[in-house]
Amino acid sequence: MDTEKIREIVVIFENSQISRMDVEQDLFKIRLEKKEVITVSNAVVTEKKKEEPDKKTLNSPLVGTFYAAIKPGEKPLVQVGQRVKTGDVICIIEAMKSMNELKANQEGDILEILVKDGQMMEYDQPLFVLGD
């Protein structure tokens, strides 16, 4: 793995909410850790529309794959209509072969799930619509 690729991985890691990341390619292995633990629960929350001030979206804090359950075939962590509290795990995001729990950073009802299980997602992409 060339140094430019390593530098790129470090920048992505530093700008993410991930506290630990392992990268492996052929015989090359690297582990990145942040001393201060920052959870993925610091996802971006934005208002959806001015005419709907009681609805907010919970956006992805990183690029990766969305998983609704902890393991394939298991019950989804949240469903439409379910009330979540701050700190509840609401999905799993796989980024660079690392599984990361996304935690709700506010209380609310899941009004809509905007992504499907196994779907790739972008940074800051809306994942859930929350209501009061």
Side-chain angles (χ1 to χ4, degrees):
M1 185 176 284
D2 65 19
T3 56
E4 187 58 36
K5 189 74 161 178
I6 295 169
R7 188 173 290 118
E8 189 177 310
I9 291 169
V10 170
V11 168
I12 291 169
F13 175 74
E14 298 234 338
N15 292 323
S16 75
Q17 301 295 322
I18 302 170
S19 60
R20 184 178 133 207
M21 178 173 33
D22 294 307
V23 178
E24 199 171 318
Q25 183 181 18
D26 300 324
L27 299 175
F28 179 82
K29 289 183 181 181
I30 185 171
R31 173 176 283 164
L32 302 169
E33 291 187 66
K34 294 179 183 172
K35 290 186 180 199
E36 180 181 334
V37 176
I38 300 173
T39 63
V40 179
S41 64
N42 294 329
V44 178
V45 175
T46 58
E47 292 198 25
K48 190 173 181 182
K49 293 181 182 177
K50 287 203 180 241
E51 62 269 10
E52 298 177 310
D54 59 334
K55 293 182 182 179
K56 299 187 186 299
T57 59
L58 179 61
N59 299 350
S60 176
L62 56 144
V63 175
T65 305
F66 173 89
Y67 292 107
I70 293 184
K71 293 182 182 175
E74 286 189 358
K75 179 182 168 192
L77 291 162
V78 296
Q79 298 176 351
V80 172
Q82 180 178 339
R83 181 116 183 125
V84 293
K85 296 178 185 168
T86 303
D88 287 353
V89 177
I90 56 175
C91 72
I92 303 295
I93 299 174
E94 179 183 5
M96 300 184 78
K97 297 185 181 184
S98 178
M99 298 299 194
N100 304 281
E101 293 180 343
L102 178 65
K103 297 179 181 180
N105 63 352
Q106 68 177 10
E107 189 172 325
D109 295 319
I110 302 287
L111 301 178
E112 195 175 350
I113 300 173
L114 303 171
V115 289
K116 296 183 191 250
D117 193 46
Q119 180 179 334
M120 290 293 298
M121 53 192 190
E122 300 291 326
Y123 170 76
D124 204 31
Q125 177 180 337
L127 304 176
F128 300 93
V129 177
L130 297 179
D132 294 329

